[in-house]
Amino acid sequence: KDVEKEREPHVYLSKEEVKEKIQSYNSSVTDKLKMTLNANGIYTGFIKVQMELCRPITVQSSQSQGRCAPSSQETAFYLPDGCVNTLHISSTNTVREVIEALLKKFFVADNPAKFALYKRCHKEDQVYTCKLSDREHPLYLRLVAGPKTEMLSFVLREHETGEVMWEAFSIPELQNFLRILDKEENDQLQILKNRYAAYRGKLEEALRGVLKPG
């Protein structure tokens, strides 16, 4: 079940409450991805983000990093469904900063505004997915929910929920999309040709058997 926006009230914890929750959190961690509380009250830790992207992403090579002009070393491709990435963040990082860090980590050249971070949680034997606002702090949500991803997980999706806003994409991105579509079209066409060629061969073999003398 998809929920449009995060509607749960944000509970502000005291430093002592944060310390107790971090101790409880770390005692339940099974993958060594623990949280650390700093002297200034800011804590750091890890979140895992599942990628659920329907459209191709544009990736830069390391040589083209930092260039303003479109690079011929940019490539668009579909990310494998269910890919999960781990980020080390702090309690001050917002949803928007997490999205930017995630894209930067994997050299994704697409505009971060095209993406949104969702949380998926279990409530009353149902699974809810809702989009987080830019001001939310994912590590706080992780701390409150505990380390079990069955209770809370994060998902990255395209920001648009309706018709695709093609004007938001750059010309190199659109050209890459066309190349991908051309390749998929040619691949499907070849599959159809092979299927009908095999079917034709079986028909011709059957006809030779029927028309064979005596």
Side-chain angles (χ1 to χ4, degrees):
K1 182 178 180 181
D2 282 359
V3 180
E4 186 179 351
K5 280 284 185 181
E6 169 64 43
R7 297 188 180 90
E8 294 181 2
H10 188 104
V11 179
Y12 291 93
L13 304 175
S14 67
K15 186 174 180 180
E16 189 60 35
E17 288 174 324
V18 169
K19 182 179 179 180
E20 291 176 0
K21 279 193 171 293
I22 290 177
Q23 290 174 344
S24 175
Y25 182 98
N26 289 342
S27 66
S28 302
V29 167
T30 58
D31 55 10
K32 298 183 180 181
L33 300 181
K34 296 185 177 182
M35 292 194 187
T36 302
L37 179 62
N38 300 317
N40 58 5
I42 296 174
Y43 51 96
T44 59
F46 299 85
I47 62 169
K48 295 181 180 179
V49 181
Q50 183 172 348
M51 317 291 275
E52 290 185 357
L53 304 179
C54 299
R55 294 189 293 278
I57 58 172
T58 303
V59 177
Q60 288 182 326
S61 68
S62 57
Q63 290 82 1
S64 61
Q65 292 294 306
R67 297 179 184 176
C68 297
S71 171
S72 59
Q73 294 175 310
E74 292 182 352
T75 304
F77 65 93
Y78 286 97
L79 201 65
D81 189 32
C83 178
V84 177
N85 294 299
T86 302
L87 281 179
H88 185 252
I89 62 174
S90 81
S91 56
T92 62
N93 289 133
T94 63
V95 163
R96 182 53 46 191
E97 290 172 334
V98 166
I99 293 174
E100 292 172 354
L102 185 63
L103 299 181
K104 183 178 180 181
K105 179 179 179 180
F106 296 97
F107 305 119
V108 177
D110 299 88
N111 188 340
K114 297 177 184 177
F115 304 93
L117 192 67
Y118 291 73
K119 79 169 187 176
R120 183 175 290 152
C121 54
H122 292 252
K123 290 182 181 179
E124 300 176 356
D125 297 326
Q126 293 192 56
V127 179
Y128 291 84
T129 302
C130 58
K131 184 168 68 174
L132 297 170
S133 65
D134 287 349
R135 66 178 180 275
E136 289 287 345
H137 297 88
L139 194 61
Y140 167 81
L141 298 176
R142 178 79 279 162
L143 175 64
V144 172
K148 293 183 179 179
T149 55
E150 296 84 1
M151 299 303 297
L152 172 74
S153 58
F154 296 103
V155 181
L156 185 72
R157 294 179 178 174
E158 285 88 357
H159 185 72
E160 298 84 12
T161 57
E163 187 175 348
V164 178
M165 304 290 291
W166 293 113
E167 61 271 18
F169 293 86
S170 67
I171 291 178
E173 287 177 320
L174 295 174
Q175 290 172 337
N176 277 327
F177 294 163
L178 286 175
R179 282 193 288 270
I180 290 174
L181 290 175
D182 287 341
K183 183 180 183 303
E184 290 182 347
E185 182 180 6
N186 291 332
D187 290 344
Q188 291 299 319
L189 183 60
Q190 189 60 48
I191 290 173
L192 285 174
K193 286 182 177 179
N194 293 340
R195 183 184 302 169
Y196 281 103
Y199 185 60
R200 183 182 294 107
K202 291 180 180 179
L203 284 175
E204 291 174 349
E205 183 180 352
L207 283 172
R208 285 195 297 268
V210 171
L211 299 176
K212 187 176 180 180

